[in-house]
Amino acid sequence: MYPVLTHEALEKLLKLRFKEGFLSLRDLPLPNTFKDMQKATQRIIHAIQNKEKITIIGDYDVDGVISTTLMKLFFEEIKYPIEWVIPNRFKDGYGLSVNIVSQIKGTDLAITVDNGISSVYAAKLCKEEGIELIITDHHLLAPEIPEAYAIINQKQEECSFPYADVCGAQIAWYLIASLKNTLNIKINMISYMELVSIAIIADMMPLQHINRVMVQVGIKSLCVSTKPAIRAFLEHYQKKVLTSEDIAFFLAPLLNSAGRMKDASYAVDFLSSTDIYDANVRLERLIAFNSLRKTTEQTLTHQALLQVDSKDDVIIAVGQEWHEGVVGIVAARIAQICQKPSIVLSENSKGVLKGSGRSFGECDLFGIVNSCREHLDKFGGHQAAIGLTLQKEKLEWFKSQIQKKYRSKDYNQEISDSQIMGELLFSQINFELTALIKRYEPYGFGNPVPKFITNDVEILQIQSMGKEGEHLRFLLKQDNIVLQAVWFKSKAIFKVGQKIQLVYTVNENHFRGKITLQLMIDKII
């Protein structure tokens, strides 16, 4: 049972998400609250003054791409030549690795962004090669920490930076701010925050505390950005303004697709385009990568679903030479469709299985798979998402152990939607409600769009829409109040006059100068 909501009750619930209230840019902690920030800053300035060779080492996801781009743009702005490299997912693996060290020989100072905190062996190789290393990363620390000149990571015990949940691009932004202050140069840090806002959303940082204000300010700046890449994106998608949803569902997947399908350097090249023609050409390439990603993902999801055994508590699907760049997305799709934790593995020609897993409900997938860790070649991740590698001959044993381990945990099979804030009567749905909801934007991870449930709703009209009839449009009534609703990607069958229970969000539909209220259906029960 959910509480019946009034506007006042809803606002109280939304306020609970922001224990510090709404912060402003004045509330951003200073760069020197990071452990080793000053040490790293002084070492980089020394390298600049002595004309040393500096190489930036990024990562192939959006956070790593943005972090790399930020550093690249900064050094271009101060007119100091550097080199940068992003590992290829398929050839190099993740982050600072043996392969990457071999590519950066001759470097005097290497700076990692969004990676490096687990690169113990690669750090030793850097030292042997005479490469001084600065690590900037935001991920959890392993028991053994790499040897480096400086490590900037907010999760270090000795670090006084007050927020644990920040992404790699935010730390790169802080490093740039520290360099700016120490060099006493004029740089517009808001223009860098534009890109940081994209990374915060894409890396699913909670949209609270400083993350909220950095995203707010960043998005506002993005809407009037002079960066050719941003102008090209806005023009191509015919958007005058950009929202957090646009970033999450359009821009971030585009940037991610380069690393998933070929090489993330294409995304860095796009973001650092120098003119609109160059940006448009690079955007078309990313769009092609993303189209290929979608097609590949749909194909593999269909093939994986054919392997699903309804008796399994954890779905495990395996395919020959499945594209490694999309197995994580496929695992997430399977988990959502089957409402069970899912692991999707790709087998290569040498009988090695490599893949990803995504959790569902309250299941700690990391904890379950961790119990088999000694039999895996590689393993990492967190409660909701994992990556792993194992030998083919251990697959059947692995499947059996995972099912046993899941059952031993006695997880609650009841799937409740924690994002439903309460029961909302149609009489409470008006423009005052949407104005209230807007006050707590931007929405995303850690601050999800308010979702409601309404009982005893009558269907007055129903019709399909979309090129292939893949969406549904409704006219719904409760207590003589009639509202429009849409349900995307549903071909479910209902009858006029049918009474339903509805889970949905509320938005304003702007069409031909007219604004109407519209329910965005999440589920019909």
Side-chain angles (χ1 to χ4, degrees), residues 239-253:
K239 292 185 178 295
K240 293 183 179 179
V241 296
L242 207 57
T243 66
S244 57
E245 288 81 9
D246 292 329
I247 291 172
F249 298 111
F250 294 100
L251 183 52

Side-chain angles (χ1 to χ4, degrees), residues 36-54 75 80 107-111 130-134 149-150 175 179 182:
D36 282 359
M37 180 63 81
Q38 278 304 112
K39 189 177 181 183
T41 300
Q42 294 296 340
R43 179 64 186 89
I44 294 168
I45 291 173
H46 176 81
I48 293 170
Q49 291 170 342
N50 290 275
K51 294 182 168 51
E52 294 181 27
K53 182 179 179 181
I54 299 174
F75 281 104
Y80 189 84
T107 294
D108 298 303
L109 178 64
I111 306 169
I131 302 171
E132 203 135 47
L133 181 63
I134 293 173
Y149 180 84
L175 178 56
L179 288 165
T182 307

Side-chain angles (χ1 to χ4, degrees), residues 349-384:
S349 58
K350 297 178 181 177
V352 177
L353 305 177
K354 184 178 179 182
S356 297
R358 296 293 183 270
S359 190
F360 189 82
E362 63 178 28
C363 170
D364 178 3
L365 188 58
F366 181 90
I368 288 174
V369 179
N370 194 44
S371 64
C372 308
R373 190 175 197 142
E374 69 272 20
H375 298 282
L376 304 176
D377 295 348
K378 292 181 182 178
F379 175 63
H382 51 81
Q383 179 172 336

Side-chain angles (χ1 to χ4, degrees), residues 15 43 55 73 98 109 143 157 187 240 245-246 274 305 307 354 436 441 452 474 479 498 500:
K15 277 184 178 178
R43 179 64 186 89
T55 302
L73 293 176
V98 176
L109 178 64
E157 283 186 15
I187 283 178
K240 293 183 179 179
E245 288 81 9
D246 292 329
T274 55
L305 283 171
Q307 298 183 30
K354 184 178 179 182
L436 165 60
E441 291 177 339
F452 309 105
F474 296 84
D479 295 334
Q498 184 176 344
I500 57 174

